[in-house]
Amino acid sequence: MAFTFAAFCYMLALLLTAALIFFAIWHIIAFDELKTDYKNPIDQCNTLNPVSDPPPPSCVLVRGARGVPGPSGSEGARGLVLPEYLIHFFFCVMFFCAAEWLTLCLNLPLLAYHVWRYMSRPVMSCPGLYDPTTIMNADILAFCQKEGWCKLAFYLLSFFYYLYGMIYVLVSS
Amino acid sequence: MSAPGFTNLSSSVNYNQNSTPNGGDAPPYQNGPAQTYQSMYPPTGCYGAPPQHQSYPTIPAHSTPAPSKASMTNSVHSANYYQSNHQQQQQQQQQQRPVPQHHVAPSPYSAPPSQPVPSSGPVPPHAQYNQQLQHPPYATPGSYYGPQSYHPPPAQHTSQQQQQQQQQPTLVPAPASGPGAPLHPIVSYPSAPGNSQYGTLSSSQNNTTPGVLPTQMGAPLHQYSTSRPASTTAAQPGYGVAPPSQLVPTVNGQGSTVHQHYDRSCQSSLSYNTYSGAEADQLPSGTPSTSVHSSPGHHQGGDTSSSSTGSASPVPNSYDSLEGGNFPDSMPPSNDMTNQAAPYGSYGYPNMQQGYHQGPASHADSSPSHDPYGQSSYQQYSQPFPNLSQLSAALGGLSGVPELEVEALTPINLLQERSLLPPRPLEAPEPNLSPELKKVNCSPQTFRCTLTSIPQTQTLLNKARLPLGLLLHPFRDLQQLPVITSNTIVRCRSCRTYINPFVTFLDQRRWKCNLCYRVNDVPDEFMYNPVTRSYGEPHKRPEVQNATVEFIASSDYMVGTKRLQVNDNSTTNQLRPPQPAAYLFVLDVSHNAVESGYLKYFCDSLMENLDKLPGDSRTRVGFLTFDNTIHFYNLQEGLSQPQMLVVSDIDDVFIPSNDSLMVNLKESKELVKDLLTSLPAMFSQSRETQSALGPALQAAFKLMSPTGGRITVFQTQLPTLGAGALQSREDPNQRSSNKGVQHLGPATDFYKKLALDCSGQQIGVDLFLLSSQYTDLASISCISKYSAGSIFYYPSFHFIHNPAQLEKFQRDLDRYLSRKIGFEAVMRIRCTKGLSIHTFHGNFFVRSTDLLSLANVNPDSAFAVQMSIEDSLADSSLACFQAALLYTSSKGKRRIRVHTLCLPVVNQLSDVYAGADVQAITCLLANMAIDRSITSSLSDARDALVNAVVDFASAYKSNVSNLQQSGLVVPAAMCLFPIYILALLKQKALRTGTSTRLDERVFAMCEFKTQPLEQLMRMVHPDLYRLDNMSDQGALHLNDTVVPQPHLLHLSAENISRDGAFLLDCGYVFYLWIGKCCNDMFIRDVLGCTNFASIPPNMSHIPELETPLSQRVRALLDWLQDNRAFSSMMHVIKDDASTKVTFFQHMVEDRSESASSYHEFLQQVQQQMSK
């Protein structure tokens, strides 16, 4: 029983997957909030999309002057989409390095999906996937929600798979 | 004190008048709200209410409670009253007076005293009032009621009244004014109670009736002040009034003699009541005004009139049955119904009558009122639902539903049947509803559904293969619109639906929401006194009689509404009082723009329309020009001439001066005119070819964001500098490619983001694009798309070389500058439980699943909504849709326009097909296809359209049609579907193979998204008429003119003959095609030319000749133009001219070099069906 690189990868993946599960849940909640009319799509998209550049100063000034609170709340949770993709990509690379081919194969479809998803995003000047003007379309909303549930299921399964994989690697080596 | 209130009223009146047509609002209008307002926005004074403030220093106490107006009860009033606030007292007195009187002394009933009460003070106002309105009506009501009360002789009545009052104890301590009290005790007050109930109505009446109310109001105030002293003592259930109503009827008969006495006095009292209602938010009874109206009957003597009224009511019974509710108390509904309805039709005001009727109606008293009203009023009554009846008449007066259905379902083999077009343009199909519901249903011009019979389940909908959706034109100019001022707008407590004609009254106190089926209480204001039952006829209120109504939201209601509608983030808006009208013009002055010469015409047009800009004394305007720098104009009042401020730092735009760039139009009108005069010359030498549109828009955004408003952008070339710079993406060689069109979407999200910022600050951006080269409309249009603006495009605009475009530009500008506008609007669409909204189409920002944020709303833009059926609708036989548009009028009033559409639910596929609205379906499909072409590709969208026909035909064949005949069979209701789809495929937006500029294509797509259905259908499938052999057969006779009704012709060249003259109505443009061998007489009589050869090549007017033929042709053209927002251009096209291509490209049934003919299209469809 030795602590190999592969075991390390599994442990890392385990932790990161836990984070991804959190992301997926957060994603589902975010769209549910949209659907139930609880949030403004602009604010919600600002939190979903990573905000690379701060809003133009003019806006801030104007809002301040009006006493309008800026996008509420979740400043800390901003832009979870890209981090999610990066984390997933990161441990795919790790598995690749660890030569865990089966695990890598299991993850490849999702990786490909992420690439496709990001390539086909709407025209945007900043990184991000969601366009506040189309997000309320019932099809897109339903799609995003379904996407969230599927990912949640996938991450949950892979969480246990990684757990199993880690133990297996630890035991077998 | 009274004065301020009075003024307000008057203003309100004006407002109403305006509103009916265009909704212009007088800010000061709301008396009641004003108070609250002050408390809320003391400094702003936006509402014009301020004066009241001053006048009523005491008010403050009052004001504080105001926010909760709705909740405010009479008790509050009473409290205020005691506090000795004049206003309150007045109000209370007005309302309560009657009551107190009753309480205090039955004795007071002696008529004589009552007369004095009116006090001289009020009198003068009366006079005015009378003049403005129909004097008699008002007076009568008072008298009417008055007599009743006086008549005490019917001891029963008095006792009843007293009882009632006691029962209602709650409200106000009787504000008995010493003098007034005795008088008041008079029955007149009882009428007042009615008022309380109808208070809302009355207010509305005020609005509608021009001028009348104001006077009344003023008068009352005076009286009050005088009467005030009397107040005190008895806290009567001012509202108890209701009971009196019952009494009233009896009284009327008896008290005729007395009536005369009262006339004036009563009026005054009545006026008071109304006033109080209007002013005092508190009083749920704002309705009093209604009572006032009713009073008019009094003059002539209620008795006589009563008989007449009774006869008038045709509808009532039906109504009851419709609603399904039992109104045990209200037996005589019929009269009321008719009466109410009638008033609406005639005036904006119907409310008044309602109030009146309601009270009296139950006892058949209503009739008396009629006479008093005088002829005009009488007419109103006699024509119940004038609007509706007119409407239905306009719709062609379809009769038997079953027949219709059968007719609509007749299978038609398209391959054999060649002439499918009806002789006249297609009308919207009528939903298969009971006649009563049909009568009150929303006009198809405003609200149209693709399936007038809603399938019960999504499965059935899928089977039908037709899209379910709505086409909405919510803010269109209306000739008649009931305007309702109410302290409490009655809405469902769970889904917030506004009460509408399709709700069910379970009993007098409860109504069942037709969207969520929740049972709600009828608020006191809506039906005042349930205990006495006499006045309880909530089903007669205008809200329940009209599918389209407009509420004037009281100030605190407004805030509440906003909060409700906007959800959590809306708090931002709550702090903001209604904005003033603000217009900013952003003008391109680069070399290219100067070259095109639009600037001069714009300045001229604006100069002409400066006074017609919708707005009030707070209207603000500003100007901003740009080329590679941005120029601001300081128009501060007091300057000798406009000052130009140049900002050349376009990377970091700043506003050079804070308060002087957007100026009050009224104060700086001279400077504005100066600027408009000098502007064209200022840049005539410009050599700057760059355009910094993006930075200019950013500057405009900063300039406008404190107020919100409308930005109008004129752009003539591709933006090349600063943020938002674009590059040409069009490859001219690909214009006619069959391979699909690239670059239909935006190249950058700069404009979209800016538009969203604008939308957040309630700024709408309208775009006028006048360019000769590619300008990337696909990107730039985003600025308008998401800020609810409108887009105008003039390809190849040049003031000399293209006079047609110039004329169109000028006409559009005229309309654009003077058309109505609503600011900071939101529209929510609610629908029966089980239905949900899938997608919206139009220019707006979708803020939540059913809420559209419209920074500006204009009367020319329409919306489409795709719906889906989430749950089975089996448990109800009706499905309803309600669109509520909340906006700030140009006069700074918050208003809510509510449209409700009711449709039957069916569970048979054949019924679904029978109710299909082919035009609406086509328009909805066009919207969907345009979305598809942007998100996917143009060819995808075209395929989808063809598939829509194929799927539909197959679905019909396999499910409904039991004829095994070969060929392409569709139900008669949908027989035009393939033609329309084919026409769509040949439309600029969706065609391939024909050379189409990218900008023109994108513009056509924008048009599809925003044009109202009628306009859209004319663009897709123009109407073709032959003019040279028109006969008077079937002609319309309007006033003195005879409007011939030539038959529609199929859009095929085979219908065009060389010896004829044909008119093609394409919506924005008429083409008059003159054949080579056309009758010389026609050419001479209509065109004023001797023969074909002498017709000038670019003729664009039909001369006004006195020949009968010319008169007919012009009458037809005028008639066709009627009701079009933008006047259409006329082009005379000669058979030999090169321009005839533009004419023949509209012959959609013919084969073109790149597209199939109609017959080929049908065969293609049939082929695909058999696959």
Side-chain angles (χ1 to χ4, degrees), chain B residues 601 605 770 794 797-815 1068 1098-1102 1121 1126-1131:
Chain B
Y601 296 94
S605 190
L770 315 104
Y794 306 90
F797 180 87
H798 193 279
F799 72 113
I800 294 173
H801 302 146
N802 200 340
Q805 289 289 2
L806 176 63
E807 191 182 342
K808 182 168 177 349
F809 176 65
Q810 285 176 305
R811 289 188 188 192
D812 288 359
L813 262 186
D814 279 347
R815 162 73 182 167
Y1068 282 132
N1098 281 324
M1099 197 169 177
S1100 59
H1101 290 282
I1102 301 291
Q1121 290 234 10
F1126 293 94
S1127 63
S1128 308
M1129 302 281 302
M1130 164 60 94
H1131 290 301

Side-chain angles (χ1 to χ4, degrees), chain B residues 372-437:
Chain B
Y373 279 89
Q375 296 178 347
S376 63
S377 62
Y378 178 82
Q379 289 177 350
Q380 295 177 357
Y381 282 105
S382 63
Q383 305 175 347
F385 306 103
N387 293 338
L388 295 171
S389 61
Q390 291 173 1
L391 238 179
S392 62
L395 289 178
L398 302 174
S399 52
V401 173
E403 289 174 23
L404 262 181
E405 209 164 284
V406 171
E407 202 179 294
L409 278 176
T410 317
I412 291 185
N413 189 340
L414 293 176
L415 290 172
Q416 289 165 5
E417 193 68 43
R418 301 234 38 199
S419 62
L420 299 168
L421 280 179
R424 299 297 313 145
L426 212 57
E427 304 285 359
E430 283 205 350
N432 181 5
L433 291 167
S434 63
E436 296 82 11
L437 285 179

